[in-house]
Every structure is written in structure tokens, then in C-alpha cells.
Amino acid sequence: MSKTKSNVNADIAFAYLPTHKKERKMSFIDLVLVQTVIGLSAFGLLSGAYAGSMLETGDSLIAVLFGNAFPMFLIAPVAFYFAKYGVDTFVGYRSALGYNGVTAFFILFYLLSLGYSALALFMAGESLSSAFKVVNAPEIVSGSAGPTVCAIILFFIAFIIVFRGPEAIRKFNIIAVPSFLLFLIALIVVVVFSDHIPALNQLMPVEPFENHTQSFMTALEINVALGFSWLPYLGQYSRLAKSSKSAYSASFYSYGVIVVIAAAVGALAALISGSLYPGDWMSAIMGSKFAIIGLILLTVANLGATLFLMYSFAISFKTLFSKSSWMLAVCTLLPTIFLLLNSTFYDAFNIFMSVISFTMASLGGILIADYFFVKKQNISMRDLYNTKGKYNYWFGFNPSAVVTLVASYFFFWSMYNPITLEANGLFLKITAGIPTFFLACAMYYVCAKFIFRFEVDRVSAKDEEFKQYLIETKTTI
């Protein structure tokens, strides 16, 4: 067996089986450093940039801060679940969604992975193309088609690294993580210690709505969507935490606080440059002489985020579909290329995130209600792994979750249409994503407790014995 295949198989086995307490070695600091790799990249920058394109400085920073922090405050308690039981995301969610329901959730995660990978790659491609333009590189990489060409080249670089396995990714991230930190620090220093700060009070957003309230609520909704979008990733590292408290705290501070830094930088950059493109940010803020350095750092950083996204998805694919090959798992990400053919998807970031806001807010409400209020933090470990067990509900789907998702869909879209940007009066007062979370939480509780009323066993001594059995036989499964 090759070293790459051995490393990948070890990660797959580790992802599927519950972690033993001895394997939970990540401290609060470790978790924060790992989880912010993905957050401090294209997504945080772009969500902030949209706020900066619609609002003045003060309002854009408020939208960025509250929009990211409050949704994470609502869903971060999910980390307690994964820290307690040590299970992976797509194993743990079986208790609320059912065995087939998790497969449906995985399809959503697939679309999220494709979209996030495309956004990170296109920002990286646009940054690299802008850097090539500074040095008068050939038209194919520096002209109008340059961002697409560079993004597709970077995709195949990421594809090769991901296929080679975790060791190659770890080596690349030694460069990628410091690159983004240097980029952020440099951008903040230039903005703070130059003449940009005094000018910010006079700068006006380039794409505001006629109604200031709609501009604010729309910008807030995009950042709320980013906050909720971290839901599928909370279980991946919380299960490795030394304690439940550190898992929760690290999740909140990583995605709800530190990501705000990137979003705030994006908001200021958009206000100063009047653009959503990093090439314009660098030229406007750092000048042409130093812009190339920032662009290269941003390229490397977003490529690192892409590796994290692609590898996480490929491991999850192999976890659920164990008989498939590693090549097939990685190849499922090839459709990302279609989203890189032009800037259409990148420019539709606000629409993509608003759709994510509805789905993740609904699922977040369901998971919180199920674990804390319906099952009261008692999960049957045996039934999580027995696909014919009590979490089968109706044909593998939990009807309480299905009814809740349908109701949440009509509630969200009746208030706000993210495609046409039409909004009713209620959206202009409370937005759509956050109230959808509370509606989902309440409706799921009512459905589970008073309508469908499935009797799912609490954790027993036998379940703990089954967990120990899985751990002891880890190398043979």
C-alpha cells in the first residue's frame, strides 16, 4: 500500500469512528488556528466587501460584526455534541435527520463545497492574474480571460495536492496560513497608518439601494449567511477537542469573532477601492509597487483554503461511500471548473450566500432543538452506527425535520427573495436568516414532541460498550 493511500485510509477511519479521549489532543489554541484557516480567506473578505459596497463605514462594520457573531452564537453549542460523543459531522447528524436525511444533507454540503471552492479559486485566480498584469505577463494570464485561466490552473494544482493526501496538504499549509496572516496584517497596517482612515468618513458605497434600511438589512443578511454557513464544519474538529468547553469557545471565537477581522478588512477595502476584486483593492490601498506582494500572498492563502475544502469533502465522501475509490472521491469536485469559466458565480456571491443562509439557519435550528431540547443531550451511540436502528424514523428521514425545512423555506422566501432581492416590510425589520433559525427550532420541537413523537432510546451502558468496541476494532473496519 502506498504512503498516500495509507494516510488517506487512516484519515477516513479516523473520521468515521468515534474518537477516544486519548485521541482528543486539540487545545483551545490548536482549534482556533485550524478553524480560522478557512474562515480567513475569500468568504470573510467577500461578505465584508459586499457590506462595504452597500453601506458607509460605521454601518458596514456593524453589519459585519453582528452578522457573523450572532449566528455563530446560536449554532456554536452544536460543538458540545461532537465534543461529548467524538463522532464526525455526518454520523452525528443522523440523530436529527435520519440515515437518509444525512445523505440529503451531504448533497447540500457537496454544493456548498463546490461553491466555496469556486469562490476561493476565482479570488486566487483574479489575484494571480492581477499580479501577472503588474509584470506585463502574456495576455492569456493577464488579460480579460486571465482570472479564469489562472483559477483553472490553480484548481488542478489543488486537485493534485489533495489527491496526494494529507501530508502534501500539511506541507503546503505551512506556507498558506502565514501568507494570509501576512496579507491581513499588511493590509490593516497600510489602511490604519496611511491617509485612508480620515478619508473613510467621506467615502460613499458604490452599490447602495435607494432605501438605506434595505441596504443595511441586505448587507447584514449576507454576513448572517456566512455565520450560519460554518454549521457543517463544527463537528470536524470539535470531536478532537480536549474538553467540551474548549470546543465551544474555539468554534465561537474562530468563526464568530476572528473571521470578522477578514470581513472588516474586506468592507474597508471595498469602500476605498469601490470594487469587489482584490486586484483593485491592492492597487487602491497599497499602490502598484507593493500590490504584487499582497496579491501573491492572497493567491497562496486562498489556494490553501481550497485544499482544506476539497480534502474535507473528499474524506466525507469516502466516509459515507466507503467502497468508492479515493480518485472518485476527489473527482467529484471537478464540476468546480464550470463555476470558474467566468466571473458570473463570483459576482453572484450575495445570492449564493443568501440561499445558504436559509438552509443552514433551518438546519441549525433543527439540530439545536433536537440535541438540547428533544433528546436532552442523550444520544444512542449504537443507533448512530446501526443504520437500521431507531434513527431510521420514516424510510430513513425524520418527518419532524422534513416538515420544519418545508415551513422554513416558505417563511424565508416569503420575506426575502435573494435572487430578485425583493423584500417585504418584515425583512426590513428583522432580516430573514435569524428568524428562520428560531422558527425552525420551535417548529421542530413541536413536531418531535407533540406530533410524530418517536421514541428514541437514551444512551445506555450497552451504547458505551459499543463505542468502546468500535474504538478497539478501529484498525479492522
Side-chain angles (χ1 to χ4, degrees), residues 201-245:
N201 292 327
Q202 284 75 46
L203 291 175
M204 299 299 293
V206 293
E207 298 179 7
F209 289 89
E210 293 182 5
N211 184 324
H212 174 266
T213 302
Q214 187 168 355
S215 293
F216 182 82
M217 289 302 184
T218 302
L220 179 62
E221 187 65 35
I222 293 170
N223 282 273
V224 164
L226 182 65
F228 280 128
S229 72
W230 304 123
L231 181 67
Y233 300 99
L234 292 181
Q236 292 182 327
Y237 290 102
S238 294
R239 65 196 292 260
L240 305 177
K242 290 181 178 179
S243 68
S244 298
K245 182 180 178 180

Side-chain angles (χ1 to χ4, degrees), residues 120-336:
L121 284 166
F122 197 87
M123 179 176 279
E126 202 278 336
S127 302
L128 186 58
S129 179
S130 297
F132 281 133
K133 192 180 297 183
V134 173
V135 297
N136 298 315
E139 181 74 13
I140 190 172
V141 292
S142 62
S144 58
T148 292
V149 173
C150 291
I152 292 174
I153 291 172
L154 291 171
F155 169 80
F156 283 108
I157 291 174
F159 184 93
I160 293 169
I161 294 174
V162 169
F163 180 74
R164 290 178 62 85
E167 192 59 34
I169 294 173
R170 292 187 187 103
K171 289 179 181 179
F172 183 86
N173 278 337
I174 292 174
I175 302 172
V177 177
S179 292
F180 196 80
L181 292 177
L182 285 173
F183 165 79
L184 273 185
I185 292 170
L187 209 58
I188 292 170
V189 168
V190 172
V191 170
V192 171
F193 294 101
S194 68
D195 57 357
H196 293 301
I197 287 293
L200 283 173
N201 292 327
Q202 284 75 46
L203 291 175
M204 299 299 293
V206 293
E207 298 179 7
F209 289 89
E210 293 182 5
N211 184 324
H212 174 266
T213 302
Q214 187 168 355
S215 293
F216 182 82
M217 289 302 184
T218 302
L220 179 62
E221 187 65 35
I222 293 170
N223 282 273
V224 164
L226 182 65
F228 280 128
S229 72
W230 304 123
L231 181 67
Y233 300 99
L234 292 181
Q236 292 182 327
Y237 290 102
S238 294
R239 65 196 292 260
L240 305 177
K242 290 181 178 179
S243 68
S244 298
K245 182 180 178 180
S246 62
Y248 168 78
S249 300
S251 295
F252 177 75
Y253 284 107
S254 298
Y255 298 126
V257 177
I258 298 177
V259 168
V260 172
I261 298 172
V265 169
L268 298 179
L271 271 166
I272 293 170
S273 66
S275 172
L276 298 174
Y277 289 84
D280 297 329
W281 302 348
M282 296 299 101
S283 297
I285 297 173
M286 303 182 76
S288 57
K289 291 183 179 180
F290 299 101
I292 190 171
I293 299 174
L295 291 168
I296 291 173
L297 290 174
L298 189 57
T299 299
V300 174
N302 276 297
L303 183 56
T306 303
L307 297 178
F308 175 92
L309 290 163
M310 292 175 66
Y311 188 73
S312 294
F313 173 79
I315 287 292
S316 295
F317 183 90
K318 276 285 290 178
T319 300
L320 288 180
F321 308 101
S322 57
K323 294 182 179 180
S324 62
S325 67
W326 178 240
M327 173 60 81
L328 176 62
V330 179
C331 283
T332 55
L333 293 159
L334 285 173
T336 304

